[in-house]
């Protein structure tokens, strides 16, 4: 029935936007989760780099840090040859 399809089509975008907004709030990771995930990634890259070159990529202090006030992400690592 075309009339029913039209009514459903008109309501569908509202439902999607409400669900999308709710899902967005639930999926927003905390800075600690982001920092932990990025640090795990840097540790992985450090391991691959060390296997390939025999040298460390990451310095002794943390590889990733996040400034919670500004949202700035800092990655620390050594360039090969230094």
């Amino acid at each position: 029935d075309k009339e029913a399809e039209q009514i459903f089509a008109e309501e569908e975008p509202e439902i999607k936007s409400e669900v999308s907004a709710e899902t967005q709030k639930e999926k927003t990771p905390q800075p600690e989760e982001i920092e932990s995930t990025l640090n795990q990634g840097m540790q992985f890259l450090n391991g691959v780099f060390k296997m390939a070159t025999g040298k460390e990529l990451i310095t002794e202090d943390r590889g990733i840090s996040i400034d919670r006030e500004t949202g700035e992400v800092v990655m620390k690592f050594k360039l090969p040859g230094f």
Side-chain angles (χ1 to χ4, degrees), residues 29-39 62 64-74:
Q30 297 298 314
E32 294 82 15
E33 293 174 293
I34 295 170
E35 186 173 7
S36 174
T37 301
L38 291 173
N39 273 316
R62 294 192 314 198
I64 305 276
S65 62
I66 298 176
D67 185 328
R68 281 141 179 79
E69 290 180 22
T70 64
E72 181 180 55
V73 177
V74 177

Side-chain angles (χ1 to χ4, degrees), residues 13-82:
E14 291 178 30
I15 293 169
K16 283 184 179 178
S17 65
E18 288 175 17
V19 171
S20 173
E22 290 175 15
T23 305
Q24 184 97 15
K25 289 178 187 175
E26 292 174 9
K27 288 187 177 182
T28 304
Q30 297 298 314
E32 294 82 15
E33 293 174 293
I34 295 170
E35 186 173 7
S36 174
T37 301
L38 291 173
N39 273 316
Q40 289 173 9
M42 286 295 289
Q43 289 297 328
F44 172 77
L45 292 174
N46 187 53
V48 171
F49 188 79
K50 188 172 182 177
M51 284 189 288
T53 66
K55 298 179 183 178
E56 296 281 331
L57 181 65
I58 300 175
T59 60
E60 283 78 38
D61 53 353
R62 294 192 314 198
I64 305 276
S65 62
I66 298 176
D67 185 328
R68 281 141 179 79
E69 290 180 22
T70 64
E72 181 180 55
V73 177
V74 177
M75 299 176 72
K76 292 184 180 182
F77 56 91
K78 291 191 269 180
L79 293 173
F82 287 91

